[in-house]
Structure formats: C-alpha cells, structure tokens
Amino acid sequence: MNITIDNYRTLNFDTIDIQEEWNMTAEREKRMHSIHAYPAKFPAFITTKAIHKAEESDISVKTVADIFCGCGTVAYEAVRNGKHFWGCDINPVATLIAETKSQSYDDEILEEYYNNIISCYNTCVVNKDDEIYKNERIRYWFDDGHIDELLKLKTAICEGVNNEIYRNFFLCAFSNILKPCSRWLTKSIKPQIDPNKEPKNVLVSFKSQVKMMRNANLDNTGNTQGSADINCVNFLDVDISFSFVDLVVTSPPYVTSYEYADLHQLSTLWLGFTNDFRTLREGTIGSLYHADNFNDNINKLNETAQDIVSKMYSIDKRKTRSVAQYYIDMQTTVHKVYKMLRSNGGCLFVIGNTEYKGVKIDNAKHLTECLLKEGFINVEVDRRKISNKILTPYRDANGKFAKIKGSSRKIYSEEFVIFARKK
C-alpha cells in the first residue's frame, strides 16, 4: 500500500493486506545461514526480493547496507548476489558470525587447520590461573570439567590457526557449541538454568559443528561473489559524511534490544569481548544507558511516538523513558540512512509491532512517519506473516513458544515491510 503524508495518521496499519510475496518462499535457505544460532533471524529471501524490487524501480544496486546487520543474513545474500556489502552491529558476537558467513573458504585449508586444532587440543594443558575461572557468570553456567575442556579447545584454536579469517571460522564454531555444553535451558529465549540438563561433550560437539560448517561452506561453490565490509560499531556513532549506498535492507531491533546482550553472554565472555556482558547494553537502540533528558526527548518525538508515549506514561514511567529513547534513536537512524543513500537510492525496513500492558507499540507507523518527514518518497507498506509463529502465537513464562493461551503471553504473528526511496 502506498502511504503519503496525508493518509498515514488515519490509517490502521493492521488493516493493510498481507502480501504473499513477502511470506516465506519454497526455496530452501543456504546452509551457511544456519551455522550459528541467533534470535529473531532475518529471513534470507527478503534480501534478494529487496534487490530485485529496487532494480525493477530503476535503482542501480551496487552497494547494499544493513545498519543492524546481526548475524549477517543480508551480508551473505548481498555477496551471493554479487553486490558489495557494508554493515555494522554493536554486538561483537553478531559481527563475528556475519564475517564468517560472508567469506568463502578453501576446504583443504580448513581440513589442515582442523587437524592442527585437534592435535593441539590433545596435548594442551589448561592454565588454572586463566581469568575465565574467576568469572562468576562462567562458573554459573558451566561445571569445572566443561570449563577445562572449553579452555583447552579455545587455546587450541588460537594456537593452531595462524590465519585470522580461518581462525574466526573455528571461533564461530566454538561459539555455537557453548549453549549445548552449558546448563542453559535448551530453546529458551531467556538466560535460564535447566537443573536436569546434561551438558554436551565439548570435543564431540565441536567436531560435529565444524563438519556442518564445512558442508555449508561447500554450498558456496560456483556462487557469484561480491565483497563485504562488516564493522563492530553502533550505527548511531557512525559518521556519515558522504553518500555511498544504493540500497539499505535492515530490520531494526525491538524496544528491548539490550536483551540481545544477555542472550549472547556465553560467547561474549568466552571470546574475551568483555568481562561483564552487561556493558554491551550501553549503546543499544533505546537503552537508558545513553538516554537524553526525558522532557527533551518528548519535544523531539514525532506525532506517532508522542501518542504512544503519552498512553504509556501513567502505566510505567521507566518503560516509557526507554520507549521514548528508542523512538528518538530510530528518528536519528532514519536521518542517517537518508544521508548514506545515494540519490535515487532505496531502503527496505522489516519491523514488527508490540504491545505493553494494553498499549499498542506501533513501530511501523512511527517508522513510516520518520521516512515521510525525512523526505523519502514512494513509501510503500506491506504486511507479511512471520512463518515460525503462525502456529505458536504465544510464549510461556520461560520464553518458549506455546500453542495455547493459559498464562502465556500473546505475540504478534505479522510484521511490516516498508520500502521507500530517496529523491
């Protein structure tokens, strides 16, 4: 549906038709997309559809960007389509996965490095003075035996692989076995211990993970290859001094995006990105760690955001402050996207709505207003089904998907695809 500055305010976005073209396709995703677990993963096919849509709209797409690139789904698909990719994410675990996905590897070299790792592992003696043993969160999630084995494996990877690109491949494999080898409740979206869980064997898990990743890498054979430039940085801090992108394809984080830092805490701690995973919350979109004065924020909000914030204020003042900061950050984001796009460039956002204590958090309408007020033209808004939630529209108290209401919390099963162009 085409949206204009004259009709967006009165439009109920939930009445916009669901467009089948944005629902999951029958084509199977490349195995490289599954090399590492990641929450709220972006559907791979949307990138290719976005590129085709842009090119059909007479946009010459040479450079694709994802400003919240996460685990690199857009990066991989852009490279696979022969495009140059530029992306960033504040989460170092995400950018490690994205960099790993965006590379092609010589399988013979992988085999050689893998054998080096196993050889080093078999002769490695753990250093009991290592800082990892002093970290309370590590000891919370892992028993002593698994800490020993994981430290041996990480040491073997660092000593057995002298090429950074290939070392990251094996560190990515290491990262993805951490949850199975811990007490973390399997398939939970929340950090929660499973008292009945038997953690997996470290070396067996690693061997299986590497085998899967090598097979996934072989899928790349014969694909048209572009190039990728991936940065571990907060997009809000990126200096956009000139236009260098033809198409932005991205999915903004939700209001509670700081939770991603909690979900990746095992990897951030084990890979040495931080000694306290909570520090990674500080720059996230909508985080109160960098919030401006609330009254100042209110005056900067667009009309849609002011409506939502005013409804929330009497319910939960702290949450309202966070939502206000989220909308301020998103308004800044859209302004910077406009600056980074070349003339006649386009952007495609995938974003969902949420609800908080009966107040609808209409992220799609807010983002649409941002685009219109920034000067974007030809703004189109469609709805799509979120395929993995169609049959399980509730979450239970542990954060697992559920099929029945009971005490479960309903989640949205649709999201919005918003496309716009720069003049």
Side-chain angles (χ1 to χ4, degrees):
M1 174 179 283
N2 292 323
I3 309 294
T4 68
I5 199 71
D6 297 319
N7 70 3
Y8 82 92
R9 286 289 291 165
T10 58
L11 178 65
N12 180 353
F13 277 43
D14 290 333
T15 64
I16 295 174
D17 291 338
I18 291 175
Q19 299 296 318
E20 291 299 324
E21 66 172 316
W22 296 115
N23 291 343
M24 191 64 71
T25 64
E27 181 183 355
R28 187 174 181 179
E29 287 189 355
K30 292 292 185 180
R31 284 185 286 182
M32 209 65 178
H33 287 299
S34 302
I35 63 171
H36 197 295
Y38 199 85
K41 234 177 353 183
F42 193 90
F45 77 93
I46 287 182
T47 303
T48 299
K49 280 189 173 293
I51 292 171
H52 290 166
K53 181 176 180 63
E55 290 176 338
E56 288 170 358
S57 302
D58 296 325
I59 298 174
S60 177
V61 181
K62 295 179 180 178
T63 299
V64 177
D66 185 349
I67 55 178
F68 307 112
C69 76
C71 65
T73 302
V74 176
Y76 177 82
E77 291 296 317
V79 169
R80 192 164 76 90
N81 279 277
K83 311 298 183 183
H84 175 65
F85 175 81
W86 184 92
C88 64
D89 199 284
I90 196 172
N91 184 343
V93 180
T95 53
L96 171 65
I97 304 168
E99 289 172 352
T100 302
K101 280 185 182 180
S102 303
Q103 298 286 339
S104 290
Y105 306 87
D106 185 317
D107 192 63
E108 290 185 2
I109 297 177
L110 286 173
E111 173 75 17
E112 180 181 349
Y113 280 135
Y114 172 74
N115 290 333
N116 287 349
I117 292 169
I118 299 303
S119 178
C120 289
Y121 175 89
N122 289 332
T123 58
C124 183
V125 178
V126 297
N127 177 12
K128 289 291 187 178
D129 292 327
D130 193 283
E131 290 296 317
I132 206 75
Y133 289 100
K134 301 174 185 177
N135 192 292
E136 292 182 2
R137 294 305 292 173
I138 292 293
R139 301 194 71 86
Y140 177 80
W141 291 113
F142 299 91
D143 59 55
D144 287 348
H146 279 78
I147 296 176
D148 291 345
E149 295 301 304
L150 286 166
L151 183 56
K152 282 172 58 178
L153 179 56
K154 181 188 171 186
T155 302
I157 293 170
C158 293
E159 293 182 356
V161 186
N162 57 16
N163 179 293
E164 183 180 3
I165 292 175
Y166 282 82
R167 187 188 306 125
N168 284 345
F169 178 94
F170 291 103
L171 287 175
C172 186
F174 175 85
S175 174
N176 199 45
I177 69 169
L178 291 173
K179 282 185 181 177
C181 294
S182 74
R183 302 186 183 103
W184 193 295
L185 179 65
T186 304
K187 294 184 179 179
S188 173
I189 64 165
K190 296 181 178 180
Q192 183 174 348
I193 276 189
D194 181 353
N196 301 314
K197 181 179 176 182
E198 185 68 33
K200 300 287 186 181
N201 178 277
V202 169
L203 190 57
V204 171
S205 299
F206 181 72
K207 288 180 176 180
S208 176
Q209 175 71 19
V210 170
K211 181 180 179 180
M212 181 271 284
M213 290 175 63
R214 287 177 63 183
N215 287 335
N217 174 63
L218 293 174
D219 278 353
N220 290 332
T221 304
N223 286 335
T224 301
Q225 292 294 303
S227 58
D229 177 13
I230 297 170
N231 307 272
C232 185
V233 65
N234 183 354
F235 181 64
L236 296 175
D237 295 333
V238 176
D239 180 22
I240 309 296
S241 55
F242 65 98
S243 303
F244 64 100
V245 172
D246 304 302
L247 177 65
V248 172
V249 182
T250 195
S251 182
Y254 276 39
V255 176
T256 54
S257 58
Y258 62 84
E259 292 178 352
Y260 288 162
D262 300 36
L263 295 176
H264 294 123
Q265 61 182 272
L266 302 186
S267 296
T268 54
L269 295 173
W270 268 104
L271 296 176
F273 295 130
T274 180
N275 290 324
D276 184 350
F277 71 93
R278 291 170 295 186
T279 61
L280 296 178
R281 298 175 179 175
E282 295 179 7
T284 53
I285 299 290
S287 170
L288 291 180
Y289 288 95
H290 70 271
D292 295 327
N293 179 277
F294 179 66
N295 290 328
D296 290 343
N297 276 348
I298 290 293
N299 294 327
K300 297 175 187 175
L301 292 173
N302 64 24
E303 294 176 74
T304 303
Q306 286 186 1
D307 287 348
I308 296 167
V309 168
S310 65
K311 291 174 183 175
M312 288 189 63
Y313 191 73
S314 61
I315 298 172
D316 187 330
K317 291 181 175 59
R318 178 175 174 81
K319 190 69 173 180
T320 303
R321 288 178 60 215
S322 177
V323 171
Q325 186 61 49
Y326 173 83
Y327 285 139
I328 289 295
D329 291 344
M330 285 304 301
Q331 289 170 200
T332 301
T333 294
V334 170
H335 175 68
K336 298 183 78 167
V337 166
Y338 193 89
K339 289 179 65 177
M340 75 190 301
L341 282 171
R342 295 189 179 104
S343 178
N344 197 46
C347 59
L348 185 139
F349 288 84
V350 178
I351 191 166
N353 287 339
T354 54
E355 186 177 297
Y356 186 74
K357 295 185 178 180
V359 177
K360 183 179 178 182
I361 312 298
D362 203 337
N363 301 315
K365 180 173 282 191
H366 173 261
L367 178 58
T368 300
E369 182 176 349
C370 290
L371 292 166
L372 290 167
K373 293 291 180 66
E374 191 62 44
F376 281 92
I377 61 173
N378 304 130
V379 179
E380 302 174 29
V381 180
D382 293 318
R383 280 200 305 157
R384 65 176 296 272
K385 282 281 188 183
I386 305 176
S387 59
N388 65 343
K389 297 178 185 177
I390 292 175
L391 299 178
T392 55
Y394 302 93
R395 288 196 192 276
D396 63 21
N398 294 324
K400 289 186 175 181
F401 286 117
K403 293 184 180 180
I404 57 175
K405 293 182 180 180
S407 60
S408 302
R409 177 172 58 88
K410 187 174 182 180
I411 56 174
Y412 282 78
S413 57
E414 294 91 28
E415 59 190 359
F416 296 85
V417 180
I418 305 175
F419 182 80
R421 296 181 60 167
K422 181 177 179 178
K423 290 182 181 179

mmCIF file with all atom_site columns, all heavy atoms in Angstrom, residues 399-416:
data_model
loop_
_atom_site.group_PDB
_atom_site.id
_atom_site.type_symbol
_atom_site.label_atom_id
_atom_site.label_alt_id
_atom_site.label_comp_id
_atom_site.label_asym_id
_atom_site.label_entity_id
_atom_site.label_seq_id
_atom_site.pdbx_PDB_ins_code
_atom_site.Cartn_x
_atom_site.Cartn_y
_atom_site.Cartn_z
_atom_site.occupancy
_atom_site.B_iso_or_equiv
_atom_site.pdbx_formal_charge
_atom_site.auth_seq_id
_atom_site.auth_comp_id
_atom_site.auth_asym_id
_atom_site.auth_atom_id
_atom_site.pdbx_PDB_model_num
ATOM 1   N N   . GLY A 1 399 ? 9.664  -18.231 28.162 1.00 0.00 ? 399 GLY A N   1
ATOM 2   C CA  . GLY A 1 399 ? 10.037 -17.642 26.891 1.00 0.00 ? 399 GLY A CA  1
ATOM 3   C C   . GLY A 1 399 ? 9.940  -18.585 25.717 1.00 0.00 ? 399 GLY A C   1
ATOM 4   O O   . GLY A 1 399 ? 10.282 -18.234 24.598 1.00 0.00 ? 399 GLY A O   1
ATOM 5   N N   . LYS A 1 400 ? 9.468  -19.810 25.937 1.00 0.00 ? 400 LYS A N   1
ATOM 6   C CA  . LYS A 1 400 ? 9.316  -20.764 24.855 1.00 0.00 ? 400 LYS A CA  1
ATOM 7   C C   . LYS A 1 400 ? 8.017  -20.500 24.097 1.00 0.00 ? 400 LYS A C   1
ATOM 8   O O   . LYS A 1 400 ? 7.031  -20.059 24.671 1.00 0.00 ? 400 LYS A O   1
ATOM 9   C CB  . LYS A 1 400 ? 9.301  -22.200 25.392 1.00 0.00 ? 400 LYS A CB  1
ATOM 10  C CG  . LYS A 1 400 ? 10.647 -22.696 25.893 1.00 0.00 ? 400 LYS A CG  1
ATOM 11  C CD  . LYS A 1 400 ? 10.552 -24.176 26.259 1.00 0.00 ? 400 LYS A CD  1
ATOM 12  C CE  . LYS A 1 400 ? 11.910 -24.741 26.659 1.00 0.00 ? 400 LYS A CE  1
ATOM 13  N NZ  . LYS A 1 400 ? 11.819 -26.184 26.981 1.00 0.00 ? 400 LYS A NZ  1
ATOM 14  N N   . PHE A 1 401 ? 8.027  -20.813 22.788 1.00 0.00 ? 401 PHE A N   1
ATOM 15  C CA  . PHE A 1 401 ? 6.799  -20.697 22.015 1.00 0.00 ? 401 PHE A CA  1
ATOM 16  C C   . PHE A 1 401 ? 5.782  -21.716 22.500 1.00 0.00 ? 401 PHE A C   1
ATOM 17  O O   . PHE A 1 401 ? 6.121  -22.854 22.835 1.00 0.00 ? 401 PHE A O   1
ATOM 18  C CB  . PHE A 1 401 ? 7.074  -20.931 20.527 1.00 0.00 ? 401 PHE A CB  1
ATOM 19  C CG  . PHE A 1 401 ? 7.768  -19.772 19.867 1.00 0.00 ? 401 PHE A CG  1
ATOM 20  C CD1 . PHE A 1 401 ? 9.034  -19.920 19.319 1.00 0.00 ? 401 PHE A CD1 1
ATOM 21  C CD2 . PHE A 1 401 ? 7.158  -18.537 19.804 1.00 0.00 ? 401 PHE A CD2 1
ATOM 22  C CE1 . PHE A 1 401 ? 9.675  -18.850 18.716 1.00 0.00 ? 401 PHE A CE1 1
ATOM 23  C CE2 . PHE A 1 401 ? 7.785  -17.462 19.197 1.00 0.00 ? 401 PHE A CE2 1
ATOM 24  C CZ  . PHE A 1 401 ? 9.048  -17.625 18.663 1.00 0.00 ? 401 PHE A CZ  1
ATOM 25  N N   . ALA A 1 402 ? 4.505  -21.323 22.541 1.00 0.00 ? 402 ALA A N   1
ATOM 26  C CA  . ALA A 1 402 ? 3.434  -22.206 23.000 1.00 0.00 ? 402 ALA A CA  1
ATOM 27  C C   . ALA A 1 402 ? 2.231  -22.045 22.088 1.00 0.00 ? 402 ALA A C   1
ATOM 28  O O   . ALA A 1 402 ? 2.073  -21.036 21.420 1.00 0.00 ? 402 ALA A O   1
ATOM 29  C CB  . ALA A 1 402 ? 3.050  -21.862 24.444 1.00 0.00 ? 402 ALA A CB  1
ATOM 30  N N   . LYS A 1 403 ? 1.361  -23.051 22.064 1.00 0.00 ? 403 LYS A N   1
ATOM 31  C CA  . LYS A 1 403 ? 0.195  -23.036 21.178 1.00 0.00 ? 403 LYS A CA  1
ATOM 32  C C   . LYS A 1 403 ? -1.089 -22.652 21.902 1.00 0.00 ? 403 LYS A C   1
ATOM 33  O O   . LYS A 1 403 ? -2.100 -22.377 21.275 1.00 0.00 ? 403 LYS A O   1
ATOM 34  C CB  . LYS A 1 403 ? 0.018  -24.409 20.530 1.00 0.00 ? 403 LYS A CB  1
ATOM 35  C CG  . LYS A 1 403 ? 1.141  -24.790 19.562 1.00 0.00 ? 403 LYS A CG  1
ATOM 36  C CD  . LYS A 1 403 ? 0.838  -26.118 18.895 1.00 0.00 ? 403 LYS A CD  1
ATOM 37  C CE  . LYS A 1 403 ? 1.953  -26.495 17.922 1.00 0.00 ? 403 LYS A CE  1
ATOM 38  N NZ  . LYS A 1 403 ? 1.691  -27.788 17.243 1.00 0.00 ? 403 LYS A NZ  1
ATOM 39  N N   . ILE A 1 404 ? -1.081 -22.664 23.231 1.00 0.00 ? 404 ILE A N   1
ATOM 40  C CA  . ILE A 1 404 ? -2.309 -22.408 23.967 1.00 0.00 ? 404 ILE A CA  1
ATOM 41  C C   . ILE A 1 404 ? -2.182 -21.141 24.797 1.00 0.00 ? 404 ILE A C   1
ATOM 42  O O   . ILE A 1 404 ? -1.091 -20.738 25.185 1.00 0.00 ? 404 ILE A O   1
ATOM 43  C CB  . ILE A 1 404 ? -2.677 -23.604 24.878 1.00 0.00 ? 404 ILE A CB  1
ATOM 44  C CG1 . ILE A 1 404 ? -1.513 -23.912 25.837 1.00 0.00 ? 404 ILE A CG1 1
ATOM 45  C CG2 . ILE A 1 404 ? -3.016 -24.826 24.044 1.00 0.00 ? 404 ILE A CG2 1
ATOM 46  C CD1 . ILE A 1 404 ? -1.851 -24.998 26.841 1.00 0.00 ? 404 ILE A CD1 1
ATOM 47  N N   . LYS A 1 405 ? -3.334 -20.549 25.088 1.00 0.00 ? 405 LYS A N   1
ATOM 48  C CA  . LYS A 1 405 ? -3.329 -19.286 25.829 1.00 0.00 ? 405 LYS A CA  1
ATOM 49  C C   . LYS A 1 405 ? -2.866 -19.500 27.268 1.00 0.00 ? 405 LYS A C   1
ATOM 50  O O   . LYS A 1 405 ? -1.748 -19.177 27.618 1.00 0.00 ? 405 LYS A O   1
ATOM 51  C CB  . LYS A 1 405 ? -4.719 -18.657 25.796 1.00 0.00 ? 405 LYS A CB  1
ATOM 52  C CG  . LYS A 1 405 ? -5.159 -18.202 24.419 1.00 0.00 ? 405 LYS A CG  1
ATOM 53  C CD  . LYS A 1 405 ? -6.526 -17.544 24.499 1.00 0.00 ? 405 LYS A CD  1
ATOM 54  C CE  . LYS A 1 405 ? -6.983 -17.072 23.125 1.00 0.00 ? 405 LYS A CE  1
ATOM 55  N NZ  . LYS A 1 405 ? -8.317 -16.434 23.191 1.00 0.00 ? 405 LYS A NZ  1
ATOM 56  N N   . GLY A 1 406 ? -3.759 -20.066 28.119 1.00 0.00 ? 406 GLY A N   1
ATOM 57  C CA  . GLY A 1 406 ? -3.395 -20.275 29.513 1.00 0.00 ? 406 GLY A CA  1
ATOM 58  C C   . GLY A 1 406 ? -2.821 -19.018 30.110 1.00 0.00 ? 406 GLY A C   1
ATOM 59  O O   . GLY A 1 406 ? -3.389 -17.933 30.034 1.00 0.00 ? 406 GLY A O   1
ATOM 60  N N   . SER A 1 407 ? -1.642 -19.156 30.700 1.00 0.00 ? 407 SER A N   1
ATOM 61  C CA  . SER A 1 407 ? -0.967 -17.991 31.271 1.00 0.00 ? 407 SER A CA  1
ATOM 62  C C   . SER A 1 407 ? 0.065  -17.429 30.299 1.00 0.00 ? 407 SER A C   1
ATOM 63  O O   . SER A 1 407 ? 0.866  -16.584 30.654 1.00 0.00 ? 407 SER A O   1
ATOM 64  C CB  . SER A 1 407 ? -0.261 -18.398 32.576 1.00 0.00 ? 407 SER A CB  1
ATOM 65  O OG  . SER A 1 407 ? 0.689  -19.418 32.323 1.00 0.00 ? 407 SER A OG  1
ATOM 66  N N   . SER A 1 408 ? 0.016  -17.910 29.055 1.00 0.00 ? 408 SER A N   1
ATOM 67  C CA  . SER A 1 408 ? 1.007  -17.490 28.074 1.00 0.00 ? 408 SER A CA  1
ATOM 68  C C   . SER A 1 408 ? 0.725  -16.076 27.570 1.00 0.00 ? 408 SER A C   1
ATOM 69  O O   . SER A 1 408 ? -0.393 -15.592 27.629 1.00 0.00 ? 408 SER A O   1
ATOM 70  C CB  . SER A 1 408 ? 1.025  -18.456 26.891 1.00 0.00 ? 408 SER A CB  1
ATOM 71  O OG  . SER A 1 408 ? 1.306  -19.771 27.326 1.00 0.00 ? 408 SER A OG  1
ATOM 72  N N   . ARG A 1 409 ? 1.764  -15.457 27.056 1.00 0.00 ? 409 ARG A N   1
ATOM 73  C CA  . ARG A 1 409 ? 1.665  -14.093 26.541 1.00 0.00 ? 409 ARG A CA  1
ATOM 74  C C   . ARG A 1 409 ? 1.599  -14.137 25.021 1.00 0.00 ? 409 ARG A C   1
ATOM 75  O O   . ARG A 1 409 ? 2.410  -14.759 24.362 1.00 0.00 ? 409 ARG A O   1
ATOM 76  C CB  . ARG A 1 409 ? 2.898  -13.298 26.979 1.00 0.00 ? 409 ARG A CB  1
ATOM 77  C CG  . ARG A 1 409 ? 2.944  -11.880 26.435 1.00 0.00 ? 409 ARG A CG  1
ATOM 78  C CD  . ARG A 1 409 ? 4.090  -11.123 27.076 1.00 0.00 ? 409 ARG A CD  1
ATOM 79  N NE  . ARG A 1 409 ? 5.369  -11.772 26.857 1.00 0.00 ? 409 ARG A NE  1
ATOM 80  C CZ  . ARG A 1 409 ? 6.131  -11.542 25.790 1.00 0.00 ? 409 ARG A CZ  1
ATOM 81  N NH1 . ARG A 1 409 ? 5.729  -10.712 24.853 1.00 0.00 ? 409 ARG A NH1 1
ATOM 82  N NH2 . ARG A 1 409 ? 7.290  -12.144 25.657 1.00 0.00 ? 409 ARG A NH2 1
ATOM 83  N N   . LYS A 1 410 ? 0.606  -13.438 24.454 1.00 0.00 ? 410 LYS A N   1
ATOM 84  C CA  . LYS A 1 410 ? 0.452  -13.440 23.008 1.00 0.00 ? 410 LYS A CA  1
ATOM 85  C C   . LYS A 1 410 ? 1.536  -12.587 22.350 1.00 0.00 ? 410 LYS A C   1
ATOM 86  O O   . LYS A 1 410 ? 1.928  -11.553 22.871 1.00 0.00 ? 410 LYS A O   1
ATOM 87  C CB  . LYS A 1 410 ? -0.926 -12.907 22.599 1.00 0.00 ? 410 LYS A CB  1
ATOM 88  C CG  . LYS A 1 410 ? -1.198 -13.042 21.103 1.00 0.00 ? 410 LYS A CG  1
ATOM 89  C CD  . LYS A 1 410 ? -2.627 -12.640 20.757 1.00 0.00 ? 410 LYS A CD  1
ATOM 90  C CE  . LYS A 1 410 ? -2.877 -12.844 19.266 1.00 0.00 ? 410 LYS A CE  1
ATOM 91  N NZ  . LYS A 1 410 ? -4.254 -12.466 18.875 1.00 0.00 ? 410 LYS A NZ  1
ATOM 92  N N   . ILE A 1 411 ? 2.019  -13.071 21.208 1.00 0.00 ? 411 ILE A N   1
ATOM 93  C CA  . ILE A 1 411 ? 2.992  -12.312 20.437 1.00 0.00 ? 411 ILE A CA  1
ATOM 94  C C   . ILE A 1 411 ? 2.421  -12.057 19.048 1.00 0.00 ? 411 ILE A C   1
ATOM 95  O O   . ILE A 1 411 ? 1.498  -12.723 18.603 1.00 0.00 ? 411 ILE A O   1
ATOM 96  C CB  . ILE A 1 411 ? 4.330  -13.069 20.326 1.00 0.00 ? 411 ILE A CB  1
ATOM 97  C CG1 . ILE A 1 411 ? 4.102  -14.454 19.714 1.00 0.00 ? 411 ILE A CG1 1
ATOM 98  C CG2 . ILE A 1 411 ? 4.999  -13.192 21.680 1.00 0.00 ? 411 ILE A CG2 1
ATOM 99  C CD1 . ILE A 1 411 ? 5.378  -15.196 19.441 1.00 0.00 ? 411 ILE A CD1 1
ATOM 100 N N   . TYR A 1 412 ? 2.972  -11.073 18.383 1.00 0.00 ? 412 TYR A N   1
ATOM 101 C CA  . TYR A 1 412 ? 2.478  -10.741 17.051 1.00 0.00 ? 412 TYR A CA  1
ATOM 102 C C   . TYR A 1 412 ? 2.973  -11.755 16.035 1.00 0.00 ? 412 TYR A C   1
ATOM 103 O O   . TYR A 1 412 ? 4.132  -12.167 16.065 1.00 0.00 ? 412 TYR A O   1
ATOM 104 C CB  . TYR A 1 412 ? 2.929  -9.332  16.670 1.00 0.00 ? 412 TYR A CB  1
ATOM 105 C CG  . TYR A 1 412 ? 2.101  -8.250  17.319 1.00 0.00 ? 412 TYR A CG  1
ATOM 106 C CD1 . TYR A 1 412 ? 2.294  -7.893  18.651 1.00 0.00 ? 412 TYR A CD1 1
ATOM 107 C CD2 . TYR A 1 412 ? 1.109  -7.596  16.599 1.00 0.00 ? 412 TYR A CD2 1
ATOM 108 C CE1 . TYR A 1 412 ? 1.521  -6.914  19.252 1.00 0.00 ? 412 TYR A CE1 1
ATOM 109 C CE2 . TYR A 1 412 ? 0.333  -6.605  17.191 1.00 0.00 ? 412 TYR A CE2 1
ATOM 110 C CZ  . TYR A 1 412 ? 0.551  -6.270  18.511 1.00 0.00 ? 412 TYR A CZ  1
ATOM 111 O OH  . TYR A 1 412 ? -0.219 -5.302  19.102 1.00 0.00 ? 412 TYR A OH  1
ATOM 112 N N   . SER A 1 413 ? 2.094  -12.132 15.109 1.00 0.00 ? 413 SER A N   1
ATOM 113 C CA  . SER A 1 413 ? 2.455  -13.124 14.095 1.00 0.00 ? 413 SER A CA  1
ATOM 114 C C   . SER A 1 413 ? 2.628  -12.494 12.720 1.00 0.00 ? 413 SER A C   1
ATOM 115 O O   . SER A 1 413 ? 2.772  -13.188 11.734 1.00 0.00 ? 413 SER A O   1
ATOM 116 C CB  . SER A 1 413 ? 1.390  -14.223 14.024 1.00 0.00 ? 413 SER A CB  1
ATOM 117 O OG  . SER A 1 413 ? 0.114  -13.666 13.758 1.00 0.00 ? 413 SER A OG  1
ATOM 118 N N   . GLU A 1 414 ? 2.571  -11.171 12.657 1.00 0.00 ? 414 GLU A N   1
ATOM 119 C CA  . GLU A 1 414 ? 2.847  -10.463 11.410 1.00 0.00 ? 414 GLU A CA  1
ATOM 120 C C   . GLU A 1 414 ? 3.860  -9.351  11.672 1.00 0.00 ? 414 GLU A C   1
ATOM 121 O O   . GLU A 1 414 ? 4.030  -8.908  12.796 1.00 0.00 ? 414 GLU A O   1
ATOM 122 C CB  . GLU A 1 414 ? 1.572  -9.829  10.821 1.00 0.00 ? 414 GLU A CB  1
ATOM 123 C CG  . GLU A 1 414 ? 0.518  -10.803 10.369 1.00 0.00 ? 414 GLU A CG  1
ATOM 124 C CD  . GLU A 1 414 ? -0.470 -11.125 11.451 1.00 0.00 ? 414 GLU A CD  1
ATOM 125 O OE1 . GLU A 1 414 ? -0.686 -10.265 12.330 1.00 0.00 ? 414 GLU A OE1 1
ATOM 126 O OE2 . GLU A 1 414 ? -1.017 -12.246 11.437 1.00 0.00 ? 414 GLU A OE2 1
ATOM 127 N N   . GLU A 1 415 ? 4.513  -8.931  10.612 1.00 0.00 ? 415 GLU A N   1
ATOM 128 C CA  . GLU A 1 415 ? 5.384  -7.767  10.683 1.00 0.00 ? 415 GLU A CA  1
ATOM 129 C C   . GLU A 1 415 ? 5.251  -6.996  9.380  1.00 0.00 ? 415 GLU A C   1
ATOM 130 O O   . GLU A 1 415 ? 4.581  -7.449  8.433  1.00 0.00 ? 415 GLU A O   1
ATOM 131 C CB  . GLU A 1 415 ? 6.834  -8.178  10.950 1.00 0.00 ? 415 GLU A CB  1
ATOM 132 C CG  . GLU A 1 415 ? 7.434  -9.093  9.924  1.00 0.00 ? 415 GLU A CG  1
ATOM 133 C CD  . GLU A 1 415 ? 8.778  -9.656  10.368 1.00 0.00 ? 415 GLU A CD  1
ATOM 134 O OE1 . GLU A 1 415 ? 9.245  -9.319  11.469 1.00 0.00 ? 415 GLU A OE1 1
ATOM 135 O OE2 . GLU A 1 415 ? 9.364  -10.448 9.605  1.00 0.00 ? 415 GLU A OE2 1
ATOM 136 N N   . PHE A 1 416 ? 5.877  -5.832  9.316  1.00 0.00 ? 416 PHE A N   1
ATOM 137 C CA  . PHE A 1 416 ? 5.677  -4.922  8.193  1.00 0.00 ? 416 PHE A CA  1
ATOM 138 C C   . PHE A 1 416 ? 6.949  -4.799  7.359  1.00 0.00 ? 416 PHE A C   1
ATOM 139 O O   . PHE A 1 416 ? 8.066  -4.797  7.891  1.00 0.00 ? 416 PHE A O   1
ATOM 140 C CB  . PHE A 1 416 ? 5.251  -3.554  8.707  1.00 0.00 ? 416 PHE A CB  1
ATOM 141 C CG  . PHE A 1 416 ? 3.917  -3.561  9.405  1.00 0.00 ? 416 PHE A CG  1
ATOM 142 C CD1 . PHE A 1 416 ? 3.832  -3.890  10.756 1.00 0.00 ? 416 PHE A CD1 1
ATOM 143 C CD2 . PHE A 1 416 ? 2.752  -3.279  8.710  1.00 0.00 ? 416 PHE A CD2 1
ATOM 144 C CE1 . PHE A 1 416 ? 2.598  -3.935  11.402 1.00 0.00 ? 416 PHE A CE1 1
ATOM 145 C CE2 . PHE A 1 416 ? 1.523  -3.317  9.339  1.00 0.00 ? 416 PHE A CE2 1
ATOM 146 C CZ  . PHE A 1 416 ? 1.451  -3.651  10.686 1.00 0.00 ? 416 PHE A CZ  1
#
